[in-house]
Amino acid sequence: MSGNKPTTIKEIARKLKISPSTVSRALNDHPSIGDVTKDRVRKIAEEMAYEPNQTAIFFKQRKTFTIGVILPKLSEPFFSDAISTIETVAEEKKYTVLLGQSLDNEQRELNIVQSFKKHRVDGILMSLGKNTANMDYLDILAKTEIPIVFFDCVPDLPNVHKVYSDLSTGMMEAIDAFIDRGHHKIALINGPESLLASKQRSEYFIKALKQRGLAVDTNYIVHTDLTEQGNEDAMESLCALADRPSAVVSFNDFVTLDLIRYAKQRGIVMNQDMYFISYANYPLWKYMDNPPMGSIEQYPDQQAQRAAEILFDCIDKKEAVEQAQEVIFPSKLVLK
Amino acid sequence: MSGNKPTTIKEIARKLKISPSTVSRALNDHPSIGDVTKDRVRKIAEEMAYEPNQTAIFFKQRKTFTIGVILPKLSEPFFSDAISTIETVAEEKKYTVLLGQSLDNEQRELNIVQSFKKHRVDGILMSLGKNTANMDYLDILAKTEIPIVFFDCVPDLPNVHKVYSDLSTGMMEAIDAFIDRGHHKIALINGPESLLASKQRSEYFIKALKQRGLAVDTNYIVHTDLTEQGNEDAMESLCALADRPSAVVSFNDFVTLDLIRYAKQRGIVMNQDMYFISYANYPLWKYMDNPPMGSIEQYPDQQAQRAAEILFDCIDKKEAVEQAQEVIFPSKLVLK
DNA sequence: TTGTAGGCGTTATCAT
DNA sequence: ATGATAACGCCTACAA
């Protein structure tokens, strides 16, 4: 039960009085080795509890059969779904998954990338943190030739592989749903203006309103820093308007949780005085007495699956991945 | 942007017309190397974008600076909290985390252990799946000398390191809370009888009732297989009783979500006709109109932290870990 | 202060 | 069918 080192091929060879190469070949079922020898080797290997030293093999093959996954935080169902899918795909390819949560912290993101690089992962799947602006690691990785595929929260750059959800389709459906139900005072509670995700929501929101012939009231577009306080403040500023909106598209379901709670405190009746639709389609709404009118599904599993496939294509050096891949899934409104 | 291999120490040596060992030492700031040489080496290394090949180092050191974490599923907040803590501790020790979700599947658990062993992780943190009975990997790991520390859902074996939550304290508090509020018809909706977790809940439930002088009505102890249907069935069987209980301890918050929904459908008014307390203390209750009376916190972060510490002690070969460590945190009722 | 040589475990190449 | 040798990149005892 103490420091007895693992058996090596050499030891087997010595015991059998044959050469290490023969042992190696026998163990790998090489055709040129006789069945007798193979059997003898296998038997002894079994007895001595031989286990190939993968670190040696990785080293020699210049491959680790490991991919790194970097995402903001696993406590968001979107990402815990995604990682499950990634794991499944990886498992099929006999790969193992190295995990890193950035917690939306740019510095951590960089550290994780560095650490993954150190560990010589064969590839990286990454969803950016909410505030990430700096893309230095792209250079770092380009130098090291480690393929990287972004998903969900992707950088606004050409020449990188990315898989994400098209927020506009869901937005259009949301606005449609609101208008069809007679709403014309529709607001947007958006995330921080710096985020690409926010810019997109904003853009699609305005586009959708215009397309349906509604005027865009800038008072109806407010921002939250995504903290509980920020969410409440955003809601408050909407409620303070003389002409309060009757429908709200919110950044995501987490924000909406706070909005609904705040609204209730203020005596605003859900789905009567005010209607909500947000992004994410988290599974918890079915347990709520006052769920939002709908939520926009962004398909974490599909995104993760596709991103993982592209990554493995890169790793396996398929031709198709010479150019940067860009895969976009439409988002979809799900009524509650 | 193509197959130019990473710089090696040899190449730097050649370029500088000095020996590889000198380069190695210079790079590692060895005291015997002159400052001039160090500077020259560092400069060239920088220029040539030298990166030490960790796989070579791992191979040589017989260490990977990697720990494997195996847990049932990250979609449970308990585990996503736990993994965050583990990552933090690992990061401090310059370790990276390999992830494996067992999805409560024993075969997967074994595969993951095998895969981790292949990757020569320096240690493993593991929380068992709900149905795991087979502990073969313990032998596997013992042979390989890979330390393993269990947390939360731990095996009922001696001689293994384990960190878990004492369910009895929370149960006692729950029963106390119910009784103090005048309840004496108290039921338990338990998980599958096969689970250790269920056996414990059952045992502590009965013990707590007896301790407070209440009779134990076996009709008041029902089981669910933890599916939505199972949860509803369990609730149904309680509601069907002539003498319906007014208070229920349930297996966990997920079960309680279904119970509450079912109860509401049946016109049972929460916290009036019926009161609930369950294990987990998930963060979502604050958003619910009808939260349970309370929930029992099991401190994922503390458990994970402690387990990780023990694991690193094992890895660092501290004396203290020669005997199997067993750390128990009391669970605690949190009223809503 | 620096260089030389050997080895970590495995496998591929070239012999025999 | 099997063996000897070299090499992957790095480190380090020993030598100079």
Side-chain angles (χ1 to χ4, degrees):
Chain A
M1 165 96 217
S2 54
N4 42 10
K5 285 174 192 153
T7 313
T8 69
I9 281 189
K10 280 185 192 172
E11 292 165 328
I12 298 179
R14 205 179 314 139
K15 178 156 276 179
L16 251 42
K17 299 191 199 306
I18 57 179
S19 90
S21 5
T22 307
V23 176
S24 170
R25 284 187 277 243
L27 256 11
N28 290 311
D29 205 20
H30 190 101
S32 76
I33 300 292
D35 286 341
V36 224
T37 315
K38 276 185 189 169
D39 284 343
R40 292 205 316 145
V41 170
R42 290 202 189 110
K43 184 152 161 289
I44 293 286
E46 174 78 33
E47 275 176 25
M48 300 178 71
Y50 169 76
E51 286 285 346
N53 182 340
Q54 289 288 351
T55 62
I57 297 173
F58 292 156
F59 167 50
K60 199 176 192 331
Q61 304 189 161
R62 294 127 171 279
K63 231 175 155 272
T64 58
F65 290 97
T66 300
I67 59 168
V69 179
I70 306 175
L71 28 75
K73 51 206 284 200
L74 285 167
S75 57
E76 289 190 28
F78 183 94
F79 293 114
S80 64
D81 281 1
I83 192 107
S84 294
T85 303
I86 291 169
E87 241 197 286
T88 307
V89 179
E91 199 195 348
E92 282 165 16
K93 304 279 281 180
K94 306 286 182 199
Y95 269 69
T96 310
V97 171
L98 224 36
L99 171 72
Q101 293 183 77
S102 68
L103 307 177
D104 290 320
N105 175 332
E106 205 166 336
Q107 185 56 49
R108 282 188 59 109
E109 250 173 16
L110 230 153
N111 293 344
I112 297 168
V113 169
Q114 299 272 19
S115 148
F116 284 180
K117 198 182 58 165
K118 256 195 154 71
H119 281 260
R120 289 286 211 267
V121 295
D122 295 338
I124 292 181
L125 286 173
M126 180 162 189
S127 181
L128 292 179
K130 295 218 191 311
N131 315 298
T132 302
N134 191 327
M135 296 279 140
D136 287 349
Y137 36 81
L138 278 183
D139 299 339
I140 300 176
L141 295 173
K143 276 187 197 123
T144 334
E145 301 263 293
I146 299 180
I148 181 167
V149 178
F150 292 92
F151 71 99
D152 189 50
C153 200
V154 307
D156 192 11
L157 293 171
N159 298 323
V160 296
H161 303 295
K162 39 190 164 183
V163 177
Y164 57 97
S165 169
D166 174 7
L167 304 185
S168 73
T169 53
M171 180 66 86
M172 196 65 225
E173 289 174 13
I175 300 297
D176 277 348
F178 280 148
I179 291 178
D180 291 351
R181 284 163 182 73
H183 297 280
H184 55 276
K185 291 180 295 184
I186 306 174
L188 171 65
I189 294 187
N190 207 351
E193 299 192 64
S194 57
L195 304 192
L196 178 59
S198 299
K199 291 193 191 105
Q200 290 175 337
R201 282 164 171 76
S202 203
E203 178 192 335
Y204 302 145
F205 176 73
I206 291 169
K207 197 175 102 191
L209 287 185
K210 284 191 176 154
Q211 205 160 319
R212 294 291 306 245
L214 280 188
V216 177
D217 183 342
T218 52
N219 285 323
Y220 282 178
I221 301 183
V222 298
H223 293 269
T224 164
D225 58 7
L226 303 177
T227 63
E228 183 171 333
Q229 187 61 51
N231 297 340
E232 290 182 358
D233 291 348
M235 186 68 182
E236 163 121 27
S237 68
L238 283 186
C239 292
L241 293 175
D243 205 15
R244 206 174 68 190
S246 65
V248 176
V249 178
S250 108
F251 188 75
N252 68 24
D253 286 346
F254 282 146
V255 172
T256 300
L257 277 171
D258 284 328
L259 302 183
I260 291 179
R261 198 165 65 139
Y262 178 89
K264 236 177 303 180
Q265 282 169 9
R266 290 303 183 97
I268 296 167
V269 181
M270 274 306 98
N271 297 318
Q272 182 178 319
D273 299 337
M274 221 164 185
Y275 293 75
F276 292 88
I277 290 177
S278 43
Y279 282 92
N281 196 25
Y282 285 150
L284 53 97
W285 295 123
K286 74 185 236 192
Y287 293 110
M288 308 277 294
D289 288 328
N290 298 293
M293 192 176 110
S295 186
I296 300 168
E297 174 67 50
Q298 294 173 269
Y299 303 103
D301 295 319
Q302 290 185 33
Q303 284 193 46
Q305 167 103 22
R306 201 70 191 76
E309 286 168 1
I310 292 175
L311 182 65
F312 283 115
D313 281 351
C314 292
I315 292 175
D316 299 341
K317 295 262 189 292
K318 296 270 170 64
E319 299 306 318
V321 284
E322 287 302 309
Q323 299 101 319
Q325 300 284 301
E326 181 162 10
V327 178
I328 309 171
F329 290 99
S331 58
K332 187 165 170 30
L333 174 65
V334 179
L335 293 172
K336 297 294 158 189
Chain B
M1 165 99 219
S2 55
N4 43 10
K5 285 175 193 153
T7 313
T8 70
I9 280 188
K10 279 186 194 170
E11 291 165 327
I12 298 179
R14 205 178 315 138
K15 179 156 276 181
L16 251 40
K17 299 191 200 303
I18 58 180
S19 91
S21 28
T22 306
V23 177
S24 171
R25 284 188 276 246
L27 255 13
N28 291 310
D29 205 19
H30 191 98
S32 77
I33 300 294
D35 287 341
V36 225
T37 315
K38 278 186 188 168
D39 283 344
R40 291 206 316 146
V41 170
R42 289 199 189 114
K43 183 153 163 288
I44 294 286
E46 174 77 34
E47 275 176 25
M48 300 178 71
Y50 169 76
E51 285 286 344
N53 182 341
Q54 289 290 348
T55 63
I57 297 174
F58 293 155
F59 167 48
K60 196 176 199 325
Q61 301 188 164
R62 293 126 172 281
K63 236 180 151 256
T64 59
F65 291 97
T66 300
I67 60 168
V69 179
I70 306 175
L71 28 75
K73 52 207 279 199
L74 285 168
S75 58
E76 289 191 30
F78 183 94
F79 293 114
S80 63
D81 281 0
I83 192 108
S84 293
T85 303
I86 292 168
E87 240 197 287
T88 307
V89 178
E91 199 196 347
E92 282 165 15
K93 304 280 280 181
K94 305 284 181 201
Y95 269 68
T96 310
V97 171
L98 227 34
L99 172 72
Q101 293 184 77
S102 68
L103 306 177
D104 289 319
N105 175 332
E106 206 166 334
Q107 186 54 50
R108 282 188 59 109
E109 251 173 14
L110 229 153
N111 292 344
I112 296 169
V113 169
Q114 299 274 20
S115 147
F116 284 0
K117 198 181 59 163
K118 255 196 155 73
H119 281 262
R120 289 284 212 268
V121 295
D122 295 337
I124 291 180
L125 286 173
M126 179 162 189
S127 182
L128 292 179
K130 295 219 193 310
N131 316 299
T132 302
N134 191 326
M135 296 278 140
D136 288 350
Y137 37 82
L138 278 183
D139 298 340
I140 299 177
L141 294 173
K143 277 188 195 121
T144 334
E145 301 261 293
I146 299 179
I148 180 166
V149 179
F150 292 91
F151 72 99
D152 190 50
C153 200
V154 306
D156 193 11
L157 294 171
N159 298 323
V160 296
H161 303 295
K162 38 189 164 184
V163 177
Y164 57 97
S165 170
D166 174 7
L167 304 185
S168 75
T169 53
M171 180 66 85
M172 195 67 225
E173 290 174 13
I175 301 297
D176 277 348
F178 280 148
I179 292 178
D180 292 350
R181 283 163 183 73
H183 297 280
H184 54 277
K185 292 179 293 186
I186 306 174
L188 171 66
I189 294 187
N190 208 352
E193 298 191 64
S194 57
L195 304 193
L196 178 61
S198 299
K199 291 191 190 108
Q200 290 175 338
R201 281 164 172 75
S202 203
E203 178 191 336
Y204 301 146
F205 176 73
I206 292 169
K207 197 175 102 188
L209 287 184
K210 285 190 176 152
Q211 206 161 318
R212 293 291 304 245
L214 281 187
V216 177
D217 183 342
T218 51
N219 285 322
Y220 282 178
I221 301 183
V222 297
H223 293 269
T224 165
D225 58 7
L226 304 177
T227 63
E228 184 171 332
Q229 187 61 51
N231 297 339
E232 289 182 0
D233 291 348
M235 187 67 183
E236 164 121 28
S237 68
L238 283 187
C239 291
L241 292 177
D243 204 17
R244 205 174 70 191
S246 65
V248 176
V249 178
S250 109
F251 188 75
N252 68 26
D253 285 347
F254 281 148
V255 172
T256 300
L257 277 171
D258 285 328
L259 302 183
I260 289 178
R261 199 165 63 141
Y262 178 90
K264 236 175 306 181
Q265 282 169 10
R266 289 303 184 95
I268 296 167
V269 181
M270 275 306 99
N271 297 319
Q272 181 178 317
D273 299 338
M274 221 163 184
Y275 294 73
F276 292 88
I277 290 177
S278 44
Y279 283 90
N281 195 27
Y282 285 150
L284 52 95
W285 296 124
K286 73 184 237 193
Y287 294 110
M288 307 278 292
D289 288 328
N290 298 294
M293 192 176 110
S295 185
I296 299 169
E297 174 67 51
Q298 293 174 271
Y299 303 105
D301 296 319
Q302 289 185 33
Q303 284 194 47
Q305 166 105 22
R306 200 71 190 79
E309 286 168 1
I310 293 175
L311 183 65
F312 283 115
D313 282 350
C314 291
I315 292 175
D316 300 342
K317 295 261 190 291
K318 295 270 170 66
E319 299 306 317
V321 285
E322 286 303 308
Q323 300 100 320
Q325 300 284 302
E326 181 162 9
V327 178
I328 309 171
F329 290 99
S331 58
K332 189 166 168 27
L333 174 65
V334 179
L335 293 172
K336 297 294 160 189

